[in-house]
Amino acid sequence: MKRIEATVFPNKYKSVLNALTKEGFYNLTYFEGKGRSHQKDEKKMWRGQEYREIFGCIIQMSIIVDNKDVNRVINIIKNTSNDENSENIICVTEIEAMIMNTIKEKRLMNP
């Protein structure tokens, strides 16, 4: 099994998510954050003052797939998140073991 991590821009997140879901990849984790790349800083206005946004908003997606599905998932991410203004990073790492822990206990509410 492999873990695929991809950094995409927030405006491309929904299209990547929809494409992965359409192809049958449902288990996905994502994190919102800020990051910096080789792209130019963004100019923004706040209270009439212009400033440069050094860190831009990014989405870090993580998905675990079988070895046979790695290229398929990478191609989906590349094709749906690519445009002339985006810069994506996709990392693939090997998973030695995966442990799924399911909680099966009764929870009693306080009377």
Side-chain angles (χ1 to χ4, degrees):
M1 297 194 86
K2 305 273 187 189
R3 179 178 179 181
I4 300 173
E5 294 181 84
T7 302
V8 298
F9 285 106
N11 62 334
K12 296 292 182 174
Y13 167 71
K14 283 285 189 187
S15 60
V16 172
L17 180 64
N18 291 338
L20 287 169
T21 302
K22 184 178 175 183
E23 293 294 320
F25 301 103
Y26 301 102
N27 297 329
L28 172 81
T29 303
Y30 80 95
F31 304 95
E32 296 178 12
K34 295 215 176 243
R36 191 170 175 180
S37 66
H38 297 290
Q39 294 177 342
K40 293 183 178 179
D41 300 336
E42 238 183 276
K43 290 182 182 178
K44 293 191 176 184
M45 294 289 287
W46 187 69
R47 293 189 178 182
Q49 297 286 330
E50 185 177 285
Y51 71 98
R52 292 191 179 273
E53 181 81 27
I54 297 172
F55 293 100
C57 293
I58 59 167
I59 302 286
Q60 178 75 35
M61 303 171 74
S62 177
I63 185 168
I64 297 173
V65 297
D66 289 327
N67 292 340
K68 63 181 175 59
D69 294 325
V70 171
N71 289 332
R72 201 167 124 213
V73 170
I74 289 173
N75 287 332
I76 291 169
I77 294 169
K78 282 171 48 177
N79 293 335
T80 55
S81 66
N82 192 17
D83 65 15
E84 66 276 356
N85 295 324
S86 67
E87 181 178 274
N88 300 347
I89 299 171
I90 300 173
C91 300
V92 180
T93 55
E94 183 74 32
I95 295 185
E96 293 181 19
M98 185 169 73
I99 301 161
M100 297 181 74
N101 187 14
T102 306
I103 299 173
K104 295 180 180 178
E105 65 181 41
K106 291 183 180 179
R107 295 186 180 183
L108 300 175
M109 301 297 275
N110 290 336

